[in-house]
Structure formats: structure tokens, C-alpha cells
Amino acid sequence: MGAIYAISLALISERLEGEELITANAGYSVKEGVGGTLGVLFVGIAMDLFTADGTPYVILLACILYFSFVLTRLEIE
């Protein structure tokens, strides 16, 4: 999961240049920071509710949400 940040920045740099690259990099960094903070918060709440099983539940929920997002962007020809 840690490599997603580096790979995403590499993909952004392949597609954008100049000011667009700076804006995209800053936006992605802010979203990554907010997501990292909220992720820890959600894992803590889930661990309070479900003991040690809370962490896999949060990861599962995050994967389901991401998969749903990808399906909405998928173009079928």
C-alpha cells in the first residue's frame, strides 16, 4: 500500500507538465495527508468497537469503496 503514493506521483508526472504538475502534486499530497489522518482515526474507532478485528474491517471497507469508484470510471467498449 505504501508504493501507491510513489506510483501515483510518477503517473501524474507522465501526464502533466508545468503548473498543472505542481497543482496536481500539491492536491494529491494534501489528499494523501488527509486520508492518512482519517485512516488512522477510523482504524482506532473500529478497534474500539471490534477489538483487533477492526483494522481488517477498515481496510476491507476502503478497498470496497475504491473498487466501487473504479467501476464508475470504467469505460466498456
Side-chain angles (χ1 to χ4, degrees):
M1 298 277 302
I4 291 175
Y5 181 75
I7 292 170
S8 298
L9 288 180
L11 291 173
I12 288 171
S13 68
E14 286 180 358
R15 297 179 183 184
L16 302 173
E17 294 179 358
E19 289 183 18
E20 290 178 336
L21 176 60
I22 294 168
T23 304
N25 189 5
Y28 185 77
S29 297
V30 168
K31 289 179 183 178
E32 181 79 17
V34 169
T37 303
L38 291 178
V40 171
L41 179 66
F42 290 147
V43 167
I45 291 169
M47 288 182 74
D48 280 344
L49 296 174
F50 306 111
T51 64
D53 292 335
T55 302
Y57 291 151
V58 171
I59 293 171
L60 178 65
L61 178 64
C63 290
I64 289 171
L65 290 173
Y66 181 70
F67 182 68
S68 300
F69 173 76
V70 169
L71 287 179
T72 63
R73 302 290 191 253
L74 188 64
E75 295 181 16
I76 300 175
E77 295 180 14

